[in-house]
Amino acid sequence: MKRYSRQTLFSPIGVDGQERLRRKHVLIVGLGALGSSIAETLTRAGVGKLTIIDRDYVEESNLQRQLLYSENDAMERMPKAEAAKRRLNEVNQDVEIHSIVGDADVPLLERLAPNIDLIMDGTDNFDTRFMMNDISHKFHIPWIFGSCVGSFGSTFTIIPGKTPCLQCLLKKLPMRGQTCDTVGIIAPAVQMVTAYQTAEALKILSENQWALRNTYVTFDLWQNQTLSIKADSIKNADCYTCGHYPTYPYLQYEATTKTAVLCGRNTVQIRPATSTNCSIAVLADQWKKAGYKVSANPFLVSVLKDEHRMVLFKDGRALIHGTNDITIAKRVYHSLIG
């Protein structure tokens, strides 16, 4: 097919590989900077079907790095999943796009999983990534982790039964706790991460698994640093997700972040699955440097973000004041906490 002629000329894909791409179904969770770039690349590549999920809407601050969206999308506050679908249909009508405006929660992921060939990480928080990690292993679906903030990015390809999972990885290679709302981000860092992610995706979808990278890659474009770490040895036989006796803990209710609308207070409470010991002083300093109005005492920190105020307690529990909408509350929470 002429449309894909340059891609089929690339011998590892070829005509047969292109036909394999056409038969595949990819789930993209999150349509921010990473997810929107992934979605466009895979749509242009001719992947047969994409299911795209996002709970958020387009804002003006997204336009600097989220390539699928327009100023009109931001002015209309279009849900990202719908705005992305509209643009992707303009890019390639041969690709079936199924959009979902909402949370990627456990029931939804379990319902979608049996028909998925690959999961792509476009999220901005580890709650969702841990669920994706468990879904991946429970249903034996490969998934590709990606993360970026500032000029820093990282990515890792996870193949159930072969590679370490995200839980194994985090025990040895702790991630940064920063967010785009606190330290910013430059668009080239996004494009570098998605270049790695989508290259790996094309290998899996065209059935060229022999070419997959077996390292965790991290880089800082501003500091001109790149590190590739061989990860095979960190796979943990006792891991609850990928070990010999998996229990998939993040698919259990007890391991999920709990939310509750506080009656009559225009406030949503968000409580992490496990109690933490937040560093109030560190967070207060980080948010002040980002330009937010912050106050703190030894027990909690309060931060004002736009029209919402978040109060975070030392145990990780947060109150988001100024909304009864759980989706909005989660967006505020994750933009500040990561």
Side-chain angles (χ1 to χ4, degrees), residues 285-329:
D285 184 60
Q286 181 175 291
W287 292 334
K288 284 178 183 176
K289 288 179 179 177
Y292 296 111
K293 186 176 179 180
V294 177
S295 61
N297 60 40
F299 309 99
L300 59 83
V301 57
S302 172
V303 54
L304 187 66
K305 185 176 189 295
D306 302 324
E307 69 271 29
H308 302 107
R309 181 167 61 91
M310 183 176 82
V311 176
L312 182 72
F313 297 85
K314 288 189 71 174
D315 64 359
R317 183 172 56 89
L319 298 177
I320 315 299
H321 298 286
T323 185
N324 285 325
D325 189 317
I326 289 173
T327 297
I328 292 174

mmCIF file of all heavy atoms in Angstrom, residues 285-329:
data_model
loop_
_atom_site.group_PDB
_atom_site.id
_atom_site.type_symbol
_atom_site.label_atom_id
_atom_site.label_comp_id
_atom_site.label_asym_id
_atom_site.label_seq_id
_atom_site.Cartn_x
_atom_site.Cartn_y
_atom_site.Cartn_z
ATOM 1 N N ASP A 285 8.639 23.504 50.168
ATOM 2 C CA ASP A 285 9.717 24.209 49.463
ATOM 3 C C ASP A 285 9.606 24.025 47.950
ATOM 4 O O ASP A 285 9.772 24.980 47.182
ATOM 5 C CB ASP A 285 11.069 23.699 49.967
ATOM 6 C CG ASP A 285 12.233 24.444 49.346
ATOM 7 O OD1 ASP A 285 12.307 25.676 49.532
ATOM 8 O OD2 ASP A 285 13.059 23.801 48.668
ATOM 9 N N GLN A 286 9.303 22.817 47.522
ATOM 10 C CA GLN A 286 9.180 22.517 46.092
ATOM 11 C C GLN A 286 8.048 23.329 45.462
ATOM 12 O O GLN A 286 8.200 23.897 44.377
ATOM 13 C CB GLN A 286 8.922 21.019 45.923
ATOM 14 C CG GLN A 286 8.789 20.548 44.486
ATOM 15 C CD GLN A 286 8.667 19.042 44.415
ATOM 16 O OE1 GLN A 286 9.612 18.318 44.703
ATOM 17 N NE2 GLN A 286 7.497 18.554 44.045
ATOM 18 N N TRP A 287 6.904 23.383 46.138
ATOM 19 C CA TRP A 287 5.755 24.109 45.597
ATOM 20 C C TRP A 287 5.978 25.620 45.622
ATOM 21 O O TRP A 287 5.538 26.327 44.718
ATOM 22 C CB TRP A 287 4.490 23.727 46.360
ATOM 23 C CG TRP A 287 4.079 22.294 46.113
ATOM 24 C CD1 TRP A 287 4.357 21.545 45.006
ATOM 25 C CD2 TRP A 287 3.347 21.442 46.995
ATOM 26 N NE1 TRP A 287 3.839 20.273 45.150
ATOM 27 C CE2 TRP A 287 3.206 20.185 46.352
ATOM 28 C CE3 TRP A 287 2.796 21.615 48.256
ATOM 29 C CZ2 TRP A 287 2.534 19.117 46.931
ATOM 30 C CZ3 TRP A 287 2.117 20.549 48.849
ATOM 31 C CH2 TRP A 287 1.988 19.315 48.186
ATOM 32 N N LYS A 288 6.661 26.128 46.646
ATOM 33 C CA LYS A 288 6.983 27.559 46.686
ATOM 34 C C LYS A 288 7.875 27.941 45.512
ATOM 35 O O LYS A 288 7.663 28.970 44.859
ATOM 36 C CB LYS A 288 7.677 27.905 48.009
ATOM 37 C CG LYS A 288 6.745 27.986 49.207
ATOM 38 C CD LYS A 288 7.535 28.281 50.481
ATOM 39 C CE LYS A 288 6.620 28.293 51.702
ATOM 40 N NZ LYS A 288 7.380 28.488 52.970
ATOM 41 N N LYS A 289 8.864 27.114 45.226
ATOM 42 C CA LYS A 289 9.762 27.389 44.104
ATOM 43 C C LYS A 289 9.019 27.379 42.773
ATOM 44 O O LYS A 289 9.431 28.043 41.815
ATOM 45 C CB LYS A 289 10.901 26.369 44.087
ATOM 46 C CG LYS A 289 11.925 26.553 45.192
ATOM 47 C CD LYS A 289 13.007 25.490 45.129
ATOM 48 C CE LYS A 289 14.037 25.704 46.231
ATOM 49 N NZ LYS A 289 15.076 24.631 46.244
ATOM 50 N N ALA A 290 7.934 26.580 42.718
ATOM 51 C CA ALA A 290 7.135 26.528 41.486
ATOM 52 C C ALA A 290 6.171 27.706 41.365
ATOM 53 O O ALA A 290 5.476 27.832 40.349
ATOM 54 C CB ALA A 290 6.355 25.216 41.425
ATOM 55 N N GLY A 291 6.115 28.570 42.409
ATOM 56 C CA GLY A 291 5.294 29.765 42.332
ATOM 57 C C GLY A 291 3.927 29.663 42.965
ATOM 58 O O GLY A 291 3.107 30.580 42.828
ATOM 59 N N TYR A 292 3.655 28.569 43.685
ATOM 60 C CA TYR A 292 2.351 28.402 44.323
ATOM 61 C C TYR A 292 2.338 29.067 45.709
ATOM 62 O O TYR A 292 3.376 29.197 46.361
ATOM 63 C CB TYR A 292 2.009 26.919 44.473
ATOM 64 C CG TYR A 292 1.851 26.203 43.157
ATOM 65 C CD1 TYR A 292 2.781 25.258 42.743
ATOM 66 C CD2 TYR A 292 0.773 26.478 42.320
ATOM 67 C CE1 TYR A 292 2.641 24.593 41.533
ATOM 68 C CE2 TYR A 292 0.620 25.821 41.109
ATOM 69 C CZ TYR A 292 1.565 24.886 40.720
ATOM 70 O OH TYR A 292 1.425 24.241 39.518
ATOM 71 N N LYS A 293 1.142 29.472 46.142
ATOM 72 C CA LYS A 293 0.969 30.013 47.482
ATOM 73 C C LYS A 293 0.875 28.850 48.464
ATOM 74 O O LYS A 293 -0.018 28.002 48.353
ATOM 75 C CB LYS A 293 -0.294 30.863 47.542
ATOM 76 C CG LYS A 293 -0.481 31.591 48.861
ATOM 77 C CD LYS A 293 -1.707 32.488 48.825
ATOM 78 C CE LYS A 293 -1.898 33.197 50.159
ATOM 79 N NZ LYS A 293 -3.093 34.087 50.131
ATOM 80 N N VAL A 294 1.792 28.801 49.407
ATOM 81 C CA VAL A 294 1.937 27.638 50.282
ATOM 82 C C VAL A 294 2.002 28.079 51.741
ATOM 83 O O VAL A 294 2.612 29.095 52.069
ATOM 84 C CB VAL A 294 3.227 26.848 49.934
ATOM 85 C CG1 VAL A 294 3.417 25.675 50.883
ATOM 86 C CG2 VAL A 294 3.192 26.367 48.497
ATOM 87 N N SER A 295 1.371 27.297 52.607
ATOM 88 C CA SER A 295 1.543 27.463 54.058
ATOM 89 C C SER A 295 1.677 26.075 54.663
ATOM 90 O O SER A 295 1.124 25.101 54.135
ATOM 91 C CB SER A 295 0.374 28.224 54.673
ATOM 92 O OG SER A 295 -0.840 27.529 54.473
ATOM 93 N N ALA A 296 2.406 25.972 55.754
ATOM 94 C CA ALA A 296 2.657 24.646 56.324
ATOM 95 C C ALA A 296 2.874 24.739 57.823
ATOM 96 O O ALA A 296 3.252 25.787 58.357
ATOM 97 C CB ALA A 296 3.875 24.006 55.658
ATOM 98 N N ASN A 297 2.597 23.627 58.507
ATOM 99 C CA ASN A 297 2.989 23.447 59.898
ATOM 100 C C ASN A 297 3.567 22.036 60.001
ATOM 101 O O ASN A 297 3.663 21.339 58.989
ATOM 102 C CB ASN A 297 1.793 23.687 60.840
ATOM 103 C CG ASN A 297 0.641 22.732 60.588
ATOM 104 O OD1 ASN A 297 0.846 21.548 60.334
ATOM 105 N ND2 ASN A 297 -0.584 23.249 60.662
ATOM 106 N N PRO A 298 3.980 21.580 61.166
ATOM 107 C CA PRO A 298 4.603 20.247 61.235
ATOM 108 C C PRO A 298 3.695 19.089 60.839
ATOM 109 O O PRO A 298 4.172 17.966 60.648
ATOM 110 C CB PRO A 298 5.010 20.141 62.710
ATOM 111 C CG PRO A 298 5.168 21.553 63.160
ATOM 112 C CD PRO A 298 4.105 22.312 62.439
ATOM 113 N N PHE A 299 2.398 19.338 60.699
ATOM 114 C CA PHE A 299 1.454 18.246 60.478
ATOM 115 C C PHE A 299 0.875 18.207 59.068
ATOM 116 O O PHE A 299 0.421 17.162 58.614
ATOM 117 C CB PHE A 299 0.310 18.343 61.492
ATOM 118 C CG PHE A 299 0.784 18.479 62.904
ATOM 119 C CD1 PHE A 299 0.817 19.726 63.503
ATOM 120 C CD2 PHE A 299 1.239 17.386 63.611
ATOM 121 C CE1 PHE A 299 1.277 19.877 64.805
ATOM 122 C CE2 PHE A 299 1.692 17.512 64.910
ATOM 123 C CZ PHE A 299 1.714 18.771 65.509
ATOM 124 N N LEU A 300 0.868 19.348 58.369
ATOM 125 C CA LEU A 300 0.243 19.404 57.045
ATOM 126 C C LEU A 300 0.796 20.573 56.246
ATOM 127 O O LEU A 300 1.419 21.486 56.797
ATOM 128 C CB LEU A 300 -1.283 19.515 57.178
ATOM 129 C CG LEU A 300 -1.852 20.713 57.947
ATOM 130 C CD1 LEU A 300 -1.964 21.966 57.083
ATOM 131 C CD2 LEU A 300 -3.223 20.365 58.527
ATOM 132 N N VAL A 301 0.547 20.514 54.934
ATOM 133 C CA VAL A 301 0.926 21.614 54.046
ATOM 134 C C VAL A 301 -0.282 21.944 53.181
ATOM 135 O O VAL A 301 -0.995 21.061 52.707
ATOM 136 C CB VAL A 301 2.156 21.246 53.188
ATOM 137 C CG1 VAL A 301 1.925 19.979 52.373
ATOM 138 C CG2 VAL A 301 2.536 22.401 52.260
ATOM 139 N N SER A 302 -0.521 23.236 52.990
ATOM 140 C CA SER A 302 -1.629 23.716 52.172
ATOM 141 C C SER A 302 -1.058 24.441 50.966
ATOM 142 O O SER A 302 -0.163 25.287 51.104
ATOM 143 C CB SER A 302 -2.516 24.667 52.986
ATOM 144 O OG SER A 302 -3.491 25.274 52.159
ATOM 145 N N VAL A 303 -1.587 24.117 49.767
ATOM 146 C CA VAL A 303 -1.094 24.737 48.533
ATOM 147 C C VAL A 303 -2.290 25.157 47.689
ATOM 148 O O VAL A 303 -3.253 24.399 47.536
ATOM 149 C CB VAL A 303 -0.162 23.777 47.759
ATOM 150 C CG1 VAL A 303 -0.815 22.439 47.486
ATOM 151 C CG2 VAL A 303 0.312 24.407 46.446
ATOM 152 N N LEU A 304 -2.229 26.364 47.135
ATOM 153 C CA LEU A 304 -3.295 26.888 46.291
ATOM 154 C C LEU A 304 -2.898 26.727 44.836
ATOM 155 O O LEU A 304 -1.868 27.246 44.401
ATOM 156 C CB LEU A 304 -3.535 28.359 46.618
ATOM 157 C CG LEU A 304 -4.748 29.019 45.938
ATOM 158 C CD1 LEU A 304 -6.048 28.395 46.435
ATOM 159 C CD2 LEU A 304 -4.741 30.529 46.211
ATOM 160 N N LYS A 305 -3.720 25.997 44.068
ATOM 161 C CA LYS A 305 -3.475 25.792 42.634
ATOM 162 C C LYS A 305 -4.731 26.207 41.876
ATOM 163 O O LYS A 305 -5.758 25.547 41.959
ATOM 164 C CB LYS A 305 -3.136 24.331 42.337
ATOM 165 C CG LYS A 305 -2.749 24.086 40.896
ATOM 166 C CD LYS A 305 -2.332 22.627 40.692
ATOM 167 C CE LYS A 305 -1.728 22.435 39.307
ATOM 168 N NZ LYS A 305 -2.697 22.661 38.229
ATOM 169 N N ASP A 306 -4.620 27.315 41.152
ATOM 170 C CA ASP A 306 -5.777 27.888 40.464
ATOM 171 C C ASP A 306 -6.882 28.146 41.490
ATOM 172 O O ASP A 306 -6.644 28.782 42.508
ATOM 173 C CB ASP A 306 -6.232 26.969 39.327
ATOM 174 C CG ASP A 306 -5.123 26.719 38.309
ATOM 175 O OD1 ASP A 306 -4.347 27.660 38.060
ATOM 176 O OD2 ASP A 306 -5.023 25.601 37.794
ATOM 177 N N GLU A 307 -8.078 27.614 41.254
ATOM 178 C CA GLU A 307 -9.184 27.881 42.178
ATOM 179 C C GLU A 307 -9.327 26.797 43.244
ATOM 180 O O GLU A 307 -10.286 26.798 44.013
ATOM 181 C CB GLU A 307 -10.510 28.029 41.418
ATOM 182 C CG GLU A 307 -11.032 26.747 40.781
ATOM 183 C CD GLU A 307 -10.523 26.516 39.368
ATOM 184 O OE1 GLU A 307 -9.407 26.978 39.055
ATOM 185 O OE2 GLU A 307 -11.251 25.881 38.592
ATOM 186 N N HIS A 308 -8.385 25.868 43.297
ATOM 187 C CA HIS A 308 -8.469 24.767 44.259
ATOM 188 C C HIS A 308 -7.361 24.858 45.304
ATOM 189 O O HIS A 308 -6.243 25.269 44.996
ATOM 190 C CB HIS A 308 -8.392 23.423 43.529
ATOM 191 C CG HIS A 308 -9.454 23.247 42.499
ATOM 192 N ND1 HIS A 308 -9.198 23.306 41.151
ATOM 193 C CD2 HIS A 308 -10.784 23.034 42.618
ATOM 194 C CE1 HIS A 308 -10.320 23.134 40.476
ATOM 195 N NE2 HIS A 308 -11.304 22.971 41.347
ATOM 196 N N ARG A 309 -7.684 24.456 46.514
ATOM 197 C CA ARG A 309 -6.686 24.387 47.575
ATOM 198 C C ARG A 309 -6.547 22.942 48.025
ATOM 199 O O ARG A 309 -7.546 22.284 48.323
ATOM 200 C CB ARG A 309 -7.094 25.267 48.762
ATOM 201 C CG ARG A 309 -6.069 25.271 49.910
ATOM 202 C CD ARG A 309 -6.365 26.395 50.893
ATOM 203 N NE ARG A 309 -7.677 26.238 51.503
ATOM 204 C CZ ARG A 309 -7.895 25.584 52.650
ATOM 205 N NH1 ARG A 309 -6.876 25.006 53.293
ATOM 206 N NH2 ARG A 309 -9.105 25.502 53.157
ATOM 207 N N MET A 310 -5.318 22.458 48.037
ATOM 208 C CA MET A 310 -5.063 21.103 48.505
ATOM 209 C C MET A 310 -4.354 21.158 49.847
ATOM 210 O O MET A 310 -3.354 21.865 50.003
ATOM 211 C CB MET A 310 -4.201 20.304 47.514
ATOM 212 C CG MET A 310 -3.992 18.855 47.975
ATOM 213 S SD MET A 310 -3.082 17.827 46.798
ATOM 214 C CE MET A 310 -1.395 18.296 47.219
ATOM 215 N N VAL A 311 -4.897 20.396 50.801
ATOM 216 C CA VAL A 311 -4.253 20.237 52.102
ATOM 217 C C VAL A 311 -3.760 18.800 52.191
ATOM 218 O O VAL A 311 -4.552 17.853 52.112
ATOM 219 C CB VAL A 311 -5.227 20.546 53.253
ATOM 220 C CG1 VAL A 311 -4.548 20.281 54.596
ATOM 221 C CG2 VAL A 311 -5.709 21.991 53.159
ATOM 222 N N LEU A 312 -2.453 18.635 52.340
ATOM 223 C CA LEU A 312 -1.838 17.310 52.391
ATOM 224 C C LEU A 312 -1.326 17.039 53.797
ATOM 225 O O LEU A 312 -0.557 17.817 54.353
ATOM 226 C CB LEU A 312 -0.679 17.222 51.388
ATOM 227 C CG LEU A 312 0.037 15.876 51.308
ATOM 228 C CD1 LEU A 312 -0.845 14.840 50.617
ATOM 229 C CD2 LEU A 312 1.365 16.013 50.565
ATOM 230 N N PHE A 313 -1.752 15.915 54.369
ATOM 231 C CA PHE A 313 -1.328 15.511 55.698
ATOM 232 C C PHE A 313 -0.101 14.597 55.616
ATOM 233 O O PHE A 313 0.198 14.023 54.562
ATOM 234 C CB PHE A 313 -2.469 14.798 56.422
ATOM 235 C CG PHE A 313 -3.671 15.678 56.648
ATOM 236 C CD1 PHE A 313 -4.632 15.834 55.663
ATOM 237 C CD2 PHE A 313 -3.827 16.356 57.846
ATOM 238 C CE1 PHE A 313 -5.738 16.648 55.872
ATOM 239 C CE2 PHE A 313 -4.929 17.177 58.066
ATOM 240 C CZ PHE A 313 -5.876 17.326 57.070
ATOM 241 N N LYS A 314 0.578 14.435 56.732
ATOM 242 C CA LYS A 314 1.821 13.658 56.741
ATOM 243 C C LYS A 314 1.621 12.207 56.324
ATOM 244 O O LYS A 314 2.535 11.568 55.804
ATOM 245 C CB LYS A 314 2.468 13.707 58.135
ATOM 246 C CG LYS A 314 3.085 15.047 58.469
ATOM 247 C CD LYS A 314 3.894 14.986 59.745
ATOM 248 C CE LYS A 314 5.176 14.190 59.546
ATOM 249 N NZ LYS A 314 6.068 14.233 60.729
ATOM 250 N N ASP A 315 0.429 11.660 56.548
ATOM 251 C CA ASP A 315 0.183 10.259 56.190
ATOM 252 C C ASP A 315 -0.187 10.076 54.719
ATOM 253 O O ASP A 315 -0.510 8.962 54.300
ATOM 254 C CB ASP A 315 -0.911 9.658 57.082
ATOM 255 C CG ASP A 315 -2.269 10.341 56.898
ATOM 256 O OD1 ASP A 315 -2.372 11.295 56.097
ATOM 257 O OD2 ASP A 315 -3.232 9.910 57.558
ATOM 258 N N GLY A 316 -0.154 11.169 53.942
ATOM 259 C CA GLY A 316 -0.453 11.085 52.515
ATOM 260 C C GLY A 316 -1.882 11.417 52.157
ATOM 261 O O GLY A 316 -2.218 11.570 50.975
ATOM 262 N N ARG A 317 -2.753 11.527 53.157
ATOM 263 C CA ARG A 317 -4.153 11.868 52.884
ATOM 264 C C ARG A 317 -4.243 13.325 52.462
ATOM 265 O O ARG A 317 -3.545 14.189 52.988
ATOM 266 C CB ARG A 317 -4.993 11.618 54.137
ATOM 267 C CG ARG A 317 -6.470 11.874 53.974
ATOM 268 C CD ARG A 317 -7.207 11.412 55.222
ATOM 269 N NE ARG A 317 -6.669 12.060 56.419
ATOM 270 C CZ ARG A 317 -7.111 13.235 56.894
ATOM 271 N NH1 ARG A 317 -8.085 13.869 56.274
ATOM 272 N NH2 ARG A 317 -6.579 13.717 57.996
ATOM 273 N N ALA A 318 -5.128 13.609 51.502
ATOM 274 C CA ALA A 318 -5.263 14.975 50.993
ATOM 275 C C ALA A 318 -6.724 15.380 50.925
ATOM 276 O O ALA A 318 -7.601 14.558 50.641
ATOM 277 C CB ALA A 318 -4.637 15.093 49.610
ATOM 278 N N LEU A 319 -6.978 16.652 51.166
ATOM 279 C CA LEU A 319 -8.287 17.250 50.966
ATOM 280 C C LEU A 319 -8.170 18.260 49.824
ATOM 281 O O LEU A 319 -7.321 19.164 49.883
ATOM 282 C CB LEU A 319 -8.771 17.950 52.233
ATOM 283 C CG LEU A 319 -8.976 17.079 53.477
ATOM 284 C CD1 LEU A 319 -9.383 17.950 54.659
ATOM 285 C CD2 LEU A 319 -10.005 15.992 53.217
ATOM 286 N N ILE A 320 -8.991 18.098 48.801
ATOM 287 C CA ILE A 320 -9.007 19.021 47.674
ATOM 288 C C ILE A 320 -10.247 19.890 47.828
ATOM 289 O O ILE A 320 -11.373 19.424 47.633
ATOM 290 C CB ILE A 320 -9.043 18.280 46.319
ATOM 291 C CG1 ILE A 320 -8.041 17.118 46.297
ATOM 292 C CG2 ILE A 320 -8.812 19.257 45.177
ATOM 293 C CD1 ILE A 320 -6.607 17.517 46.474
ATOM 294 N N HIS A 321 -10.045 21.142 48.202
ATOM 295 C CA HIS A 321 -11.150 22.061 48.428
ATOM 296 C C HIS A 321 -11.486 22.807 47.141
ATOM 297 O O HIS A 321 -10.607 23.124 46.336
ATOM 298 C CB HIS A 321 -10.785 23.077 49.515
ATOM 299 C CG HIS A 321 -10.498 22.467 50.850
ATOM 300 N ND1 HIS A 321 -11.484 21.964 51.669
ATOM 301 C CD2 HIS A 321 -9.324 22.257 51.509
ATOM 302 C CE1 HIS A 321 -10.943 21.507 52.784
ATOM 303 N NE2 HIS A 321 -9.629 21.662 52.704
ATOM 304 N N GLY A 322 -12.777 23.097 46.951
ATOM 305 C CA GLY A 322 -13.210 23.871 45.792
ATOM 306 C C GLY A 322 -13.849 23.045 44.705
ATOM 307 O O GLY A 322 -14.124 23.547 43.610
ATOM 308 N N THR A 323 -14.103 21.761 44.966
ATOM 309 C CA THR A 323 -14.757 20.900 43.980
ATOM 310 C C THR A 323 -15.423 19.710 44.658
ATOM 311 O O THR A 323 -14.948 19.249 45.706
ATOM 312 C CB THR A 323 -13.760 20.404 42.919
ATOM 313 O OG1 THR A 323 -14.458 19.657 41.921
ATOM 314 C CG2 THR A 323 -12.677 19.522 43.538
ATOM 315 N N ASN A 324 -16.492 19.231 44.054
ATOM 316 C CA ASN A 324 -17.090 17.952 44.429
ATOM 317 C C ASN A 324 -16.853 16.903 43.353
ATOM 318 O O ASN A 324 -17.388 15.795 43.440
ATOM 319 C CB ASN A 324 -18.607 18.109 44.644
ATOM 320 C CG ASN A 324 -18.927 18.806 45.959
ATOM 321 O OD1 ASN A 324 -18.225 18.612 46.944
ATOM 322 N ND2 ASN A 324 -19.972 19.620 45.970
ATOM 323 N N ASP A 325 -16.070 17.258 42.351
ATOM 324 C CA ASP A 325 -15.815 16.383 41.208
ATOM 325 C C ASP A 325 -14.544 15.567 41.472
ATOM 326 O O ASP A 325 -13.440 16.127 41.564
ATOM 327 C CB ASP A 325 -15.664 17.221 39.948
ATOM 328 C CG ASP A 325 -15.618 16.389 38.672
ATOM 329 O OD1 ASP A 325 -14.925 15.352 38.671
ATOM 330 O OD2 ASP A 325 -16.253 16.780 37.678
ATOM 331 N N ILE A 326 -14.686 14.261 41.575
ATOM 332 C CA ILE A 326 -13.538 13.392 41.885
ATOM 333 C C ILE A 326 -12.492 13.453 40.784
ATOM 334 O O ILE A 326 -11.282 13.435 41.058
ATOM 335 C CB ILE A 326 -14.024 11.951 42.124
ATOM 336 C CG1 ILE A 326 -14.779 11.875 43.463
ATOM 337 C CG2 ILE A 326 -12.855 10.967 42.133
ATOM 338 C CD1 ILE A 326 -15.438 10.546 43.737
ATOM 339 N N THR A 327 -12.923 13.539 39.530
ATOM 340 C CA THR A 327 -11.977 13.612 38.417
ATOM 341 C C THR A 327 -11.101 14.850 38.522
ATOM 342 O O THR A 327 -9.873 14.787 38.356
ATOM 343 C CB THR A 327 -12.731 13.612 37.070
ATOM 344 O OG1 THR A 327 -13.436 12.382 36.932
ATOM 345 C CG2 THR A 327 -11.754 13.762 35.908
ATOM 346 N N ILE A 328 -11.719 15.987 38.809
ATOM 347 C CA ILE A 328 -10.950 17.224 38.965
ATOM 348 C C ILE A 328 -10.013 17.112 40.163
ATOM 349 O O ILE A 328 -8.850 17.519 40.107
ATOM 350 C CB ILE A 328 -11.902 18.428 39.113
ATOM 351 C CG1 ILE A 328 -12.655 18.677 37.800
ATOM 352 C CG2 ILE A 328 -11.139 19.681 39.545
ATOM 353 C CD1 ILE A 328 -13.726 19.743 37.890
ATOM 354 N N ALA A 329 -10.520 16.562 41.265
ATOM 355 C CA ALA A 329 -9.694 16.425 42.470
ATOM 356 C C ALA A 329 -8.460 15.567 42.203
ATOM 357 O O ALA A 329 -7.348 15.906 42.621
ATOM 358 C CB ALA A 329 -10.526 15.830 43.602
#
